Amino acid sequence: MAAAEKVFVALPAEAKSGRSTLSWALGHFRDAGVTVIVVTHVHVPPQMIPVMGVKFHASKLNPEQVSLFRMAERDKVDKQLDHYVNQCLRMKMKCEKLVIENENVVDGIVELINLHGVTKLVISAAPDRNYSRKMDKPTSRTATEIMQRADPSCKIWFVCKERLICTSGMEVEIAPGHTPFIPDTGHDALQFTLHQEQDDNNEELGFYDEVKEACKAAENLMTRALRESYRRQKADEEVVSSLQKAKEYEELYLEEVKKRKELEEALLRASEEIAQLKQERDLPKNDQNTTMEEQQEVISDNLILEASGQIIKPLQEHLDHDENCVREPETLLIQRKLAASFSPSSVMQSPFDEDCCIPSYFICPILQEVMREPCIASDGFTYETDAIRSWLDGGHRVSPITGQPIVHQQLIPNLSLRSVIQDHARRNQYSFS
């Protein structure tokens, strides 16, 4: 029966942390005749589940997703415990694995003792890096609670850094100050004094490893912080660029609306002029001719009076007063041309028969000839296309009639007036080609 006796060794999943505890158990119980070592581990299911690099509490996720992640973690723990099994096999000791799942490690160990009737248990008294020659009892919270709550029928060996610290259960005893050293796996017994000389070096190496890991973690955090800062800076630049583009588009839109409004006003004036032309065309021919003759006489008289009384005389006085004037204003030049063109001998001169009455709105204000390709300028008046284009190309920026600034240089073909002029020419049997 003694040969089949089992010793339970409570170990963490990481082989590096529990290797020294298992080494002590193998060296101690191999000489005592125990042939089966039970590698025992209490697996605590993870509560924080990583999803896309971010951890969420298990209660916030799908139960199926949580179950799959925990199952994968359980398989990972089983593979890690295989290192302990291989360590036992190298010492030619039979080994079994036992994994208990519990939310608390202490509760899991106590439950193991009660359910399996464990009478021998080996557990770590403290992490190896916390070992001290003066240690005579467990210092870790887990080992202390197990000592207090475990069944007295179970004898527990508390070990740290391959040294027996104390025992509890059946007969409580404190390990003597000079506990014999138990050799590691696969090595012969070494002198106790040699291990004492190496303790300080091992402790320093442990601290060095911890500092190295902390520096590495800090470096990773710094890298992540720099990446996040760069990402936010780039996002801010994109926002500023988008705002600038939006402002530019808004300005273009307002300018387009302004131009559209001006074109609509010009079209409205053209529409009114076209409606007036259609209304006059619908009048009987005789009445229309009579009306045109009367309007022509009135317009001719007014233009002659205006040209002779209001334009020629002021211009002559101005020229006599200022002989050194090199260049006259553009508006005065236009008025002189208009005054000269509306002299009694030149009123309504055209290539047509004198018996044919030509409406005044057929005449270009600049050329004083019947328009062949009439167009509407931004001032709302109709001109011969070539004449107003030459006017604009010559650097003039004012209206030939009103003298007011021209808003833009866009010309709109007056197709309706062109149609009326051509129709009038056909009805009166003349051409202006």
Side-chain angles (χ1 to χ4, degrees):
M1 295 297 294
E5 190 175 4
K6 295 182 179 181
V7 175
F8 291 78
V9 182
L11 300 170
E14 295 80 8
K16 182 178 179 180
S17 301
R19 186 181 297 114
S20 62
T21 303
L22 182 59
S23 297
W24 184 91
L26 291 173
H28 180 79
F29 292 104
R30 182 181 60 179
D31 298 335
V34 177
T35 58
V36 179
I37 297 293
V38 181
V39 176
T40 306
H41 174 71
V42 178
H43 177 64
V44 179
Q47 298 298 322
M48 301 302 292
I49 310 299
V51 178
M52 301 295 291
V54 180
K55 292 186 177 181
F56 296 91
H57 195 270
S59 60
K60 304 295 183 180
L61 300 177
N62 186 357
E64 183 178 356
Q65 187 177 7
V66 175
S67 177
L68 290 175
F69 177 77
R70 289 180 174 177
M71 187 180 300
E73 289 294 312
R74 178 69 179 267
D75 295 339
K76 183 178 178 181
V77 169
D78 286 338
K79 292 180 180 180
Q80 289 177 330
L81 295 178
D82 290 339
H83 293 284
Y84 298 125
V85 175
N86 294 332
Q87 186 176 350
C88 294
L89 295 177
R90 287 196 297 269
M91 291 293 293
K92 298 181 180 180
M93 293 283 290
K94 292 184 179 179
C95 179
E96 297 178 1
K97 286 193 302 183
L98 178 61
V99 180
I100 301 175
E101 194 167 303
N102 199 299
E103 299 292 339
N104 184 276
V105 176
V106 176
D107 294 341
I109 296 295
V110 174
E111 181 181 352
L112 169 70
I113 295 172
N114 295 332
L115 292 179
H116 294 269
V118 177
T119 58
K120 294 182 179 180
L121 175 65
V122 179
I123 191 170
S124 175
D128 289 350
R129 63 177 178 273
N130 295 336
Y131 170 75
S132 173
R133 297 192 185 111
K134 298 179 179 180
M135 184 184 296
D136 58 359
K137 62 180 179 179
T139 59
S140 70
R141 182 181 301 177
T142 301
T144 303
E145 291 185 12
I146 292 175
M147 176 182 283
Q148 296 172 355
R149 297 175 53 184
D151 192 330
S153 62
C154 177
K155 185 174 182 178
I156 305 176
W157 286 265
F158 295 93
V159 181
C160 182
K161 207 170 185 179
E162 299 187 22
R163 287 168 177 77
L164 178 63
I165 303 302
C166 67
T167 59
S168 69
M170 296 181 178
E171 34 183 72
V172 179
E173 49 183 57
I174 304 297
H178 298 281
T179 305
F181 172 69
I182 305 300
D184 194 359
T185 304
H187 293 80
D188 295 334
L190 298 176
Q191 294 181 0
F192 180 68
T193 56
L194 181 59
H195 280 278
Q196 286 180 338
E197 293 176 356
Q198 295 178 351
D199 286 344
D200 294 337
N201 293 333
N202 293 334
E203 187 173 357
E204 291 179 359
L205 291 175
F207 283 121
Y208 174 77
D209 293 338
E210 291 180 3
V211 172
K212 187 176 180 180
E213 292 178 359
C215 292
K216 186 176 180 180
E219 184 178 357
N220 292 335
L221 291 175
M222 180 63 70
T223 303
R224 292 176 58 186
L226 291 176
R227 289 178 181 176
E228 183 66 18
S229 177
Y230 174 75
R231 186 185 66 81
R232 291 186 178 182
Q233 183 180 1
K234 190 174 182 180
D236 292 340
E237 292 177 356
E238 291 178 354
V239 170
V240 173
S241 177
S242 299
L243 291 176
Q244 291 178 351
K245 289 183 180 179
K247 187 176 180 180
E248 293 176 359
Y249 291 151
E250 184 178 3
E251 293 177 354
L252 292 175
Y253 172 75
L254 294 176
E255 185 178 356
E256 190 69 22
V257 169
K258 183 179 179 180
K259 291 183 178 179
R260 184 174 180 179
K261 185 177 180 181
E262 294 174 355
L263 290 175
E264 288 178 353
E265 292 177 354
L267 289 174
L268 181 60
R269 289 193 296 267
S271 299
E272 293 176 354
E273 187 175 354
I274 292 170
Q276 183 180 0
L277 292 174
K278 289 183 178 179
Q279 185 177 2
E280 293 178 356
R281 189 179 62 179
D282 293 339
L283 294 175
K285 182 176 181 181
N286 295 333
D287 295 341
Q288 182 179 5
N289 293 335
T290 303
T291 303
M292 288 182 179
E293 290 176 359
E294 293 176 355
Q295 292 178 352
Q296 185 65 36
E297 293 177 359
V298 173
I299 292 173
S300 299
D301 294 340
N302 292 336
L303 290 175
I304 292 170
L305 291 174
E306 181 180 358
S308 61
Q310 298 181 7
I311 300 177
I312 299 175
K313 185 177 180 180
L315 289 174
Q316 186 64 37
E317 292 177 355
H318 178 70
L319 292 172
D320 295 338
H321 179 72
D322 190 3
E323 294 180 356
N324 296 325
C325 180
V326 179
R327 181 182 176 185
E328 295 177 344
E330 292 180 347
T331 54
L332 294 178
L333 289 173
I334 299 305
Q335 290 174 355
R336 289 189 64 188
K337 290 181 179 180
L338 292 176
S341 63
F342 284 110
S343 62
S345 61
S346 62
V347 173
M348 296 305 300
Q349 288 184 353
S350 67
F352 309 105
D353 191 358
E354 294 180 356
D355 296 335
C356 178
C357 181
I358 305 299
S360 60
Y361 46 83
F362 287 8
I363 306 301
C364 174
I366 298 177
L367 300 178
Q368 292 300 310
E369 296 179 357
V370 176
M371 292 179 287
R372 292 168 173 76
E373 296 294 337
C375 65
I376 302 173
S378 63
D379 60 356
F381 293 94
T382 302
Y383 304 90
E384 177 64 30
T385 302
D386 293 339
I388 188 64
R389 179 61 65 188
S390 299
W391 172 267
L392 296 175
D393 293 342
H396 302 286
R397 294 295 181 267
V398 295
S399 171
I401 296 178
T402 64
Q404 299 296 323
I406 294 178
V407 179
H408 56 79
Q409 299 185 13
Q410 295 180 356
L411 303 177
I412 302 175
N414 195 336
L415 301 179
S416 299
L417 180 57
R418 182 174 181 273
S419 178
V420 172
I421 294 174
Q422 293 177 352
D423 184 62
H424 186 273
R426 284 194 301 270
R427 284 188 292 151
N428 289 276
Q429 298 181 355
Y430 65 81
S431 66
F432 43 84
S433 59

